C-alpha cells in the first residue's frame, strides 16, 4: 500500500521576474497572448508553432523574437515583415539551445526503458559535446553558450523568492552506506523546514539530498524503504542504466514527491544526473554551473564530506563571502569534524580566512547532518 503523504513545506511557484511577462515558454501562453492580437516585444522560446500560422500572420510582431520555434515559411515571412526576428531551430542537435524551461528527469532519461542509458537525450548530448569540443567549432561553442544562458534564465525564474540551501558532496558516495542515508535525511529535513534543496544534480551525496527532498512529503517509512531498494544498485558504475532504472522504480512506486533542484553538467559526462531532482538545470560549462549553484544558495550552503571538487566548492563559496561581493555572507556549514579538520583540513583555513570579517559569524562545523537545520535556523536572516 502506498504510504499516505503527510504535510511538509515545499517550494512554492515563484512569481515571474520583472519583464518576464514578455517571455512565452509554453503553447498555452502563446495562445493566450496571441488572442489579444499582439506579440509585440515578446520573446517566444522553443515552442512548436507549425499549427499557429494564422495567429502569427494576424498578430502584431513588432520587436518580437522567436527562438527555435518551428513555423511555416509563410508565418516566418510575416513575422519578419512586421519587424520581428526569427531564429530557426538548428537541425541535428540532441538538445534545444533555446529551451525556455529546465529539464526534468523524464526529459533527460527519455528512452531509458527501451534502449538503455546510451539512447537517452542526456547521453546523446554528452556525445555531441565531446565531439564538438574536440574539433573547436565556433558555431558549436556558440550553441552551448546560448543553451547555458537559456538554462540560467529558466533557473532564475524558478528560484525567485525561494529560500535555497545548497548541499555539496562527492559523487562517489554509494547507495546503501550510512553516509548516503545521512545525506538523504538532511535533504528531507531541509525540505520539511521550508527550504528549497539545490545540489550538483549528480550521483552520490547529490542524489541522496535530492532523494531526501523527494521523500519529504511522505511518511518517514517511505525513505527507509527507498534506501533499502536503492542499495541493490549502489553505484552508477558499471551500469548507469541499472542505477537509473532503480531510481525510476522508486519514483513510480511513490509518485509526486517533494520538489528540489539539481544543477549538473555535461563537462563531467561520466556522472549522470539523478532522477530525484524534480528540476534539472544542466549546463555544458562547468564554471557557469558551479558559480550559479553557489550564487543561488541564498539561505546557506552545506558541505558534506567530499574530495577535491568539494574542497574547491568550499572556497568558491568563501571568496564572495569574504569580499561580500554578493551582499551579506551566506551561511556555510561543514559536516563531519574529523573529515574537515584531519583528513582534508579545510575548516582551519576557512576559520583563518573568516577571522575578523562579517563571514566569521556565519560559518559552522558540525559532527552530523542532524545538527544542520538547527544551526541554519540559528543564523540571523539574510
Amino acid at each position: 500500500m502506498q504510504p499516505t503523504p503527510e504535510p511538509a513545506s515545499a517550494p512554492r511557484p515563484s512569481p515571474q521576474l520583472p519583464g518576464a511577462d514578455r517571455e512565452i515558454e509554453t503553447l498555452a501562453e502563446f495562445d493566450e497572448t496571441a488572442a489579444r492580437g499582439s506579440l509585440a516585444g515578446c520573446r517566444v522560446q522553443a515552442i512548436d508553432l507549425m499549427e499557429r500560422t494564422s495567429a502569427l500572420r494576424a498578430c502584431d510582431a513588432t520587436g518580437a523574437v522567436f527562438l527555435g520555434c518551428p513555423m511555416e515559411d509563410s508565418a516566418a515571412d510575416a513575422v519578419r515583415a512586421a519587424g520581428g526576428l526569427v531564429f530557426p531551430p538548428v537541425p541535428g542537435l540532441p538538445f534545444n539551445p533555446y529551451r525556455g524551461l529546465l529539464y526534468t528527469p523524464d526529459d533527460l532519461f527519455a528512452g531509458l526503458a527501451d534502449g538503455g542509458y546510451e539512447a537517452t537525450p542526456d547521453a546523446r548530448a554528452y556525445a555531441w559535446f565531446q565531439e564538438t569540443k574536440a574539433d573547436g567549432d565556433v558555431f558549436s561553442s556558440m550553441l552551448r553558450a546560448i543553451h547555458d544562458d537559456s538554462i540560467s534564465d529558466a533557473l532564475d525564474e524558478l528560484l525567485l523568492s525561494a529560500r535555497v540551501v545548497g548541499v555539496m558532496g562527492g559523487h562517489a558516495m554509494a547507495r546503501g552506506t550510512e553516509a548516503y542515508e545521512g545525506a538523504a535525511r538532511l535533504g528531507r529535513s531541509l525540505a520539511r523546514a521550508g527550504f528549497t534543496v539545490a545540489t550538483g544534480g549528480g550521483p552520490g551525496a547529490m542524489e541522496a539530498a535530492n532523494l531526501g527532498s523527494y521523500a519529504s512529503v511522505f511518511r518517514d517509512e517511505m525513505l527507509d524503504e527507498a534506501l533499502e531498494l536503492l542499495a541493490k544498485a549502489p553505484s552508477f558504475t558499471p551500469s548507469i542504466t541499472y542505477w537509473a532504472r532503480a531510481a525510476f522504480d522508486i519514483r513510480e512506486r511513490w509518485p509526486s514527491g517533494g520538489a528540489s533542484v539539481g544543477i549538473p553538467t555535461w563537462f563531467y559526462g561520466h556522472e549522470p544526473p539523478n532522477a530525484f531532482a524534480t528540476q534539472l538545470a544542466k549546463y555544458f560549462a562547468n564554471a557557469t554551473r558551479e558559480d550559479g549553484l553557489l550564487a543561488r544558495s541564498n539561505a546557506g550552503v552545506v558541505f558534506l564530506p567530499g574530495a577535491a571538487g568539494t574542497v574547491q566548492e568550499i572556497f568558491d563559496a568563501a571568496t564572495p563571502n569574504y569580499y561580500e561581493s554578493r551582499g551579506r555572507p551566506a551561511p556555510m556549514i561543514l559536516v563531519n569534524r574529523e573529515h574537515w579538520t584531519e583528513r582534508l583540513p579545510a575548516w582551519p583555513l576557512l576559520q583563518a580566512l573568516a577571522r575578523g570579517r562579517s563571514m566569521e559569524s556565519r560559518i559552522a562545523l558540525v559532527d552530523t547532518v542532524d545538527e544542520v537545520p538547527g544551526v541554519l535556523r540559528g543564523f540571523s536572516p539574510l
Side-chain angles (χ1 to χ4, degrees):
M1 183 172 67
Q2 180 175 313
T4 303
E6 62 182 20
S9 299
R12 285 174 269 186
S14 300
Q16 289 187 311
L17 292 168
D21 56 333
R22 296 191 307 156
E23 294 183 8
I24 299 176
E25 296 157 340
T26 68
L27 194 56
E29 290 175 340
F30 176 85
D31 288 340
E32 181 182 352
T33 306
R36 297 196 289 266
S38 177
L39 295 165
C42 291
R43 278 70 176 117
V44 188
Q45 290 179 255
I47 304 172
D48 189 341
L49 298 175
M50 293 297 289
E51 304 297 325
R52 297 297 187 273
T53 300
S54 297
L56 289 166
R57 292 172 63 89
C59 282
D60 176 15
T62 305
V65 180
F66 293 81
L67 301 168
C69 298
M71 64 179 71
E72 297 283 355
D73 289 343
S74 61
D77 291 342
V79 168
R80 294 188 182 101
L85 292 175
V86 178
F87 292 80
V90 181
L93 290 180
F95 64 96
N96 188 335
Y98 301 113
R99 64 179 298 119
L101 303 173
L102 299 182
Y103 296 98
T104 67
D106 290 330
D107 292 334
L108 291 177
F109 284 102
L112 177 75
D114 299 323
Y117 176 71
E118 295 306 317
T120 65
D122 188 65
R124 290 188 287 112
Y126 175 58
W128 176 90
F129 178 39
Q130 290 296 97
E131 179 182 346
T132 58
K133 185 176 66 171
D135 63 26
D137 180 16
V138 65
F139 180 58
S140 297
S141 64
M142 182 190 73
L143 292 174
R144 294 196 296 269
I146 292 171
H147 169 274
D148 286 0
D149 189 67
S150 297
I151 290 295
S152 291
D153 180 69
L155 186 59
D156 284 337
E157 291 180 17
L158 177 73
L159 296 180
L160 184 67
S161 301
R163 297 166 65 216
V164 182
V165 173
V167 179
M168 311 296 171
H171 69 271
M173 186 184 288
R175 296 167 175 173
T177 62
E178 288 185 13
Y180 186 96
E181 179 184 348
R185 289 201 319 271
L186 172 64
R188 183 177 64 184
S189 63
L190 290 172
R192 287 179 174 175
F195 295 107
T196 296
V197 173
T199 77
M206 297 172 279
E207 180 190 57
N210 288 127
L211 167 64
S213 185
Y214 188 90
S216 64
V217 298
F218 300 104
R219 295 189 182 277
D220 289 353
E221 292 80 3
M222 176 270 176
L223 182 56
D224 296 335
E225 191 170 350
L227 289 168
E228 183 178 348
L229 293 170
L230 288 170
K232 298 174 183 177
S235 174
F236 63 96
T237 58
S239 173
I240 294 176
T241 300
Y242 185 59
W243 173 85
R245 283 176 177 166
F248 277 97
D249 286 345
I250 298 297
R251 284 168 37 113
E252 184 175 352
R253 183 169 180 175
W254 291 282
S256 303
S260 67
V261 180
I263 308 180
T265 174
W266 280 294
F267 182 81
Y268 296 126
H270 61 287
E271 295 180 18
N274 77 72
F276 295 114
T278 51
Q279 299 286 318
L280 289 158
K282 189 149 193 180
Y283 288 90
F284 287 105
N286 185 51
T288 304
R289 168 254 191 163
E290 287 190 344
D291 184 68
L293 173 54
L294 293 169
R296 291 173 176 87
S297 298
N298 56 9
V301 187
V302 181
F303 298 91
L304 299 173
T310 310
V311 171
Q312 177 183 338
E313 288 163 349
I314 289 173
F315 293 102
D316 281 345
T319 300
N321 280 352
Y322 181 89
Y323 290 110
E324 299 187 45
S325 56
R326 294 178 183 145
R328 192 174 184 185
M332 298 175 62
I333 302 175
L334 278 60
V335 179
N336 192 314
R337 190 175 302 273
E338 180 186 3
H339 185 86
W340 295 120
T341 60
E342 297 180 25
R343 244 175 262 162
L344 293 173
W347 173 250
L349 179 54
L350 182 62
Q351 272 189 308
L353 192 66
R355 193 166 295 126
R357 307 188 76 87
S358 59
M359 68 180 285
E360 185 174 17
S361 63
R362 300 180 71 77
I363 63 173
L365 175 67
V366 299
D367 289 313
T368 69
V369 294
D370 296 325
E371 301 170 70
V372 171
V375 172
L376 275 176
R377 286 192 295 268
F379 288 118
S380 55
L382 292 175

